[in-house]
Amino acid sequence: MRFVELVRFALGAIVAHPMRSALTSLGVVIGVAAVVMMTAIGLGAQQRVTGAISGLGSNLIIVMPNFQRGPVSQGAGSGMSLRDSDAEAIARQVEDVAAVAPSVTSRAQMNADGANWNTRVEGVTPDYLIARDLIVAQGRMFDAREARQGKKVIVVGPTVARQLWGDADPVGRRIRVRTVPFEVIGVLESKGNAGLGQDQDDVALAPLEAVRSRLVGRRFRGDTIQTIYVKSTDADSLDRVQEDVIDLLRDQHRIRQGEEDDFQTQNMASILATMQAAVATFTVFLAAVAAVSLVVGGVGIMNIMLVSVTERTREIGLRMAVGARRSDVLIQFALESVALSMAGGLIGLAIGIGGALGVAKLAGWPAAIPPWAAPLALGFSMAVGLVFGAYPSWRAARLDPIEALRRE
Amino acid sequence: MIAVTDLTKVYRMGEEEVPALAGVSLAIARGEYVAVIGPSGSGKSTLMNILGGLDRPTAGSYRFGGEEVGRFSDDELADFRRRRIGFVFQSFQLLPRLTALQNVELPMVYAGVAPAERKARAKDLLERVGLGARVGHRPTQLSGGQQQRVAIARALSNRPDLLLADEPTGALDTHTGEEVLKLFEALNRDGLTLAIVTHDPDVAAQAHRRVAFRDGLIVSDERNAA
Ligand SMILES: Nc1ncnc2c1ncn2[C@@H]1O[C@H](COP(=O)(O)OP(=O)(O)OP(=O)(O)O)[C@@H](O)[C@H]1O
Ligand SMILES: [Mg+2]
């Protein structure tokens, strides 16, 4: 008995009832489509999160005041615990630091050439570009002296440039930030729309002193900063730099042992790892839910295969009477079930890929169809066919030929 | 060729035991044409099924060409049915999805005959039973007599040593029944060994030997005057 002949018998039985076969496969179609879609969407989300977080800057530690620390004990000073001296101390004393960038931030209305736009203005030093992996595409960045002097020059993000001047070159133009006049000296290169719902190109950079004194000054002491960006020289030193920064700042702020920090640090690598783990868990969860529908599809196949074995009892008896071995019957029915399931798997794969691309397009998501989607889908549907076809096939093979032939 | 000794078959129906064969001894030589007759329920079909390797005896011996068929495993029985036996059923037992040609091919598929050869052989056999023009027809497109002739062609496809037929004309009218019988006669003339169960006295008259059953026992075994 040749295997190809059994394949032919199995396929013959499937084509004999096209409608029934299609409906039988439907469960697997839906199951595989769901698994492929959920995995692809999950992976897309993972890539998006990775892109968004690494877009904030690599090897980056963000130091901020500890907003959680009780306002009762801290009083009015809460949220303003960082000083210029802290940034200077980090730059001076912590090893393996590539850049230290203190900053203050304010949202501000901008007016230029009859257009206006509300954006986030960051008061920074030139090292900010290094810390955040930013590049000036047109014009130039202000230098350290200009930053110290608080010169009223500004480098705008691509979104701001487009909103205020369209396609025209903004470099050299004058702009009012709130009521304060600035001169545009540069435009940042686009970071792409990889932010977590936030447009990273919608920003403007100005010298720290200028922003602090003219835009946010009234609320703060003259040397207050809101955020310090610390970039380590490489990924390996990131954790150690973070520890050193913490030790140094506790020392600077005279925090005694056992007392809570009045600042907090975030390590972008660990945030990324946490987020990726969360998304991966979510993906596995989605895929598991989808896999349940695959199992339901398998049960559907088993159900129809059992009906089919009952219906075709006489056929089975006849095949045995003309010399089919029990194993021939077993393989024929197992193949039928596997073929039904794999046909469903193929169609489900196509629908899943199509669905994932569609969802990706709608959500502005990067579509991530893993290369192993096809072997996975076919492998899974084959396994489903085998597992759920096993019992009906065994029932068929176990039939007694005489009784089977007598059945109406 | 066939030697059956003290063959018994007991069916168990729950507590009750139904003896279908109560100690049958019978020898059939190569080339014989045996008619098996007897009242309903006397055990004729039971014997045919055992001879055809479709069923196993409860006790006794069934030797076929020197081999003890009663001790065969399931797979050996399947191989035995495929190589040695052609079986013709009262209700034809054709697969409705397949054409006449495909039905005749079926046993050869299980025997591993190559597709080209098996098609050619099936066509020859259908021509031999007078259905050369019907190879592409499905069972529902054939008359009862034609269906039974397809079934006979199928039974012959693996060149069996023994052709068994359990009331092959039982579902046919007299005329088509006669045609089928003529076919059996011709096959036997060509050297095929035949055992046919029948209620029809004409059939019984045609055979060379008549074995009569009653209550699971052979009550007479006589040769027809040629
Ligand atoms: N599967 C079975 N289970 C129980 N009893 C059975 C079974 N098959 C046959 N029998 C019994 O065995 C006996 C012989 O049956 P068998 O079919 O051999 O008779 P038969 O001579 O072929 O009769 P008929 O001419 O009506 O076909 C009968 O009493 C029948 O009831
Ligand atoms: Mg009978």
Side-chain angles (χ1 to χ4, degrees):
Chain A
M1 184 68 215
R2 263 167 308 209
F3 188 71
V4 274
E5 304 287 358
L6 290 176
V7 173
R8 216 167 46 85
F9 288 153
L11 295 183
I14 290 173
V15 250
H17 303 283
M19 188 62 181
R20 179 207 275 207
S21 302
L23 289 175
T24 306
S25 300
L26 192 62
V28 176
V29 171
I30 293 169
V32 167
V35 170
V36 170
M37 237 171 102
M38 291 308 152
T39 314
I41 289 172
L43 286 176
Q46 205 163 338
Q47 284 182 7
R48 192 187 154 102
V49 164
T50 307
I53 292 178
S54 40
L56 295 175
S58 53
N59 305 333
L60 190 63
I61 297 158
I62 300 178
V63 186
M64 287 181 294
N66 185 356
F67 300 106
Q68 254 89 62
R69 201 162 129 157
V72 178
S73 62
Q74 270 309 91
S78 177
M80 303 185 197
S81 56
L82 297 176
R83 309 271 165 235
D84 284 342
S85 55
D86 293 331
E88 284 156 18
I90 294 169
R92 229 178 11 248
Q93 295 176 36
V94 179
E95 276 174 39
D96 295 326
V97 166
V100 177
S103 85
V104 294
T105 304
S106 175
R107 283 210 77 85
Q109 188 76 17
M110 304 189 143
N111 288 285
D113 298 318
N116 65 76
W117 182 245
N118 190 285
T119 193
R120 184 163 49 91
V121 182
E122 298 254 8
V124 297
T125 57
D127 270 1
Y128 184 79
L129 292 188
I130 304 170
R132 301 294 303 267
D133 295 330
L134 293 168
I135 294 167
V136 175
Q138 297 166 46
R140 61 176 186 93
M141 182 65 174
F142 44 85
D143 60 26
R145 220 167 53 90
E146 289 168 313
R148 235 184 347 266
Q149 291 169 350
K151 264 191 92 174
K152 289 184 208 57
V153 291
I154 196 162
V155 176
V156 296
T159 302
V160 177
R162 197 174 53 250
Q163 291 294 339
L164 293 176
W165 296 285
D167 292 331
D169 184 0
V171 176
R173 289 179 195 264
R174 307 211 52 86
I175 184 171
R176 269 178 191 283
V177 180
R178 293 216 191 104
T179 53
V180 188
F182 279 79
E183 184 196 344
V184 179
I185 58 166
V187 180
L188 292 172
E189 192 179 85
S190 175
K191 283 229 133 188
N193 192 11
L196 286 165
Q198 196 186 50
D199 180 1
Q200 294 199 76
D201 293 342
D202 189 8
V203 69
L205 307 181
L208 178 63
E209 268 323 309
V211 175
R212 191 153 57 187
S213 60
R214 304 304 301 265
L215 296 174
V216 297
R218 254 177 276 286
R219 291 192 285 135
F220 291 148
R221 230 174 79 179
D223 61 347
T224 303
I225 49 184
Q226 289 169 304
T227 311
I228 306 172
Y229 296 94
V230 182
K231 188 188 183 72
S232 73
T233 48
D234 53 46
D236 292 338
S237 55
L238 188 63
D239 287 337
R240 200 171 34 72
V241 169
Q242 185 178 13
E243 280 166 32
D244 290 352
V245 166
I246 292 170
D247 288 346
L248 178 66
L249 289 184
R250 284 182 70 91
D251 211 42
Q252 287 267 331
H253 295 187
R254 301 202 170 72
I255 296 167
R256 280 190 292 269
Q257 195 127 35
E259 250 180 25
E260 207 184 340
D261 296 344
D262 61 353
F263 61 91
Q264 54 183 331
T265 59
Q266 281 177 346
N267 170 334
M268 292 321 282
S270 63
I271 292 176
L272 182 59
T274 312
M275 293 283 276
Q276 277 178 333
V279 174
T281 309
F282 184 62
T283 306
V284 169
F285 172 73
L286 279 182
V289 170
V292 170
S293 64
L294 198 53
V295 170
V296 174
V299 171
I301 287 192
M302 178 151 97
N303 182 29
I304 293 299
M305 287 304 293
L306 283 172
V307 171
S308 174
V309 168
T310 308
E311 259 180 16
R312 286 152 69 191
T313 298
R314 261 157 67 106
E315 173 192 330
I316 296 162
L318 186 272
R319 286 180 184 276
M320 287 176 166
V322 299
R325 290 183 172 199
R326 292 194 188 283
S327 55
D328 294 333
V329 173
L330 183 89
I331 294 169
Q332 178 187 334
F333 278 85
L335 282 173
E336 198 173 318
S337 155
V338 167
L340 277 173
S341 185
M342 286 187 72
L346 268 177
I347 297 167
L349 177 66
I351 293 176
I353 289 175
L357 291 176
V359 168
K361 195 157 191 183
L362 279 177
W365 220 244
I369 289 143
W372 39 263
L376 180 88
L378 293 183
F380 256 105
S381 51
M382 185 163 110
V384 163
L386 273 178
V387 168
F388 291 94
Y391 177 61
S393 307
W394 176 79
R395 284 262 295 248
R398 203 196 49 164
L399 285 172
D400 177 65
I402 298 183
E403 275 178 34
L405 281 169
R406 230 179 264 152
R407 200 83 58 86
E408 272 316 304
Chain B
M1 182 168 63
I2 287 175
V4 168
T5 342
D6 279 334
L7 203 70
T8 64
K9 177 74 189 181
V10 181
Y11 288 108
R12 298 191 67 95
M13 304 269 290
E15 290 293 283
E16 213 179 331
E17 293 196 336
V18 184
L21 293 176
V24 170
S25 297
L26 179 72
I28 300 175
R30 199 171 283 279
E32 273 197 290
Y33 183 174
V34 183
V36 179
I37 55 172
S40 185
S42 58
K44 309 179 296 290
S45 292
T46 306
L47 177 72
M48 295 299 264
N49 290 339
I50 292 173
L51 291 182
L54 286 166
D55 206 354
R56 293 168 193 278
T58 308
S61 149
Y62 167 27
R63 299 184 74 79
F64 190 109
E67 283 184 298
E68 182 54 59
V69 178
R71 270 203 287 277
F72 279 177
S73 69
D74 276 3
D75 279 354
E76 285 171 328
L77 267 184
D79 297 348
F80 170 76
R81 292 194 293 266
R82 187 169 63 243
R83 296 200 190 112
R84 307 263 186 212
I85 304 294
F87 216 113
V88 177
F89 304 91
Q90 179 176 353
S91 49
F92 322 139
Q93 304 283 12
L94 300 176
L95 295 190
R97 265 195 297 114
L98 306 185
T99 62
L101 191 77
Q102 289 169 327
N103 266 290
V104 177
E105 276 185 73
L106 191 63
M108 293 189 277
V109 174
Y110 286 106
V113 179
E117 189 191 340
R118 131 186 131 205
K119 272 200 181 59
R121 237 204 268 173
K123 218 170 248 166
D124 280 354
L125 284 166
L126 283 171
E127 252 154 44
R128 179 136 169 233
V129 299
L131 290 173
R134 298 277 193 279
V135 288
H137 288 227
R138 286 173 206 284
T140 48
Q141 299 163 330
L142 295 168
S143 75
Q146 288 169 335
Q147 288 185 53
Q148 192 61 301
R149 279 185 281 162
V150 173
I152 292 167
R154 178 180 66 192
L156 296 173
S157 63
N158 279 331
R159 305 194 179 105
D161 297 317
L162 172 66
L163 187 79
L164 299 167
D166 194 348
E167 301 189 43
T169 60
L172 304 176
D173 62 50
T174 327
H175 177 66
T176 46
E178 266 165 26
E179 281 179 4
V180 167
L181 286 176
K182 280 207 194 88
L183 187 57
F184 280 129
E185 182 107 335
L187 290 169
N188 176 248
R189 238 181 285 122
D190 292 347
L192 186 67
T193 313
L194 281 175
I196 297 179
V197 172
T198 184
H199 285 293
D200 184 343
D202 289 349
V203 182
Q206 230 181 28
H208 305 158
R209 183 179 163 192
R210 271 186 302 175
V211 176
F213 272 75
R214 174 163 301 166
D215 299 333
L217 287 169
I218 294 176
V219 288
S220 81
D221 182 352
E222 53 197 32
R223 264 156 220 293
N224 285 347

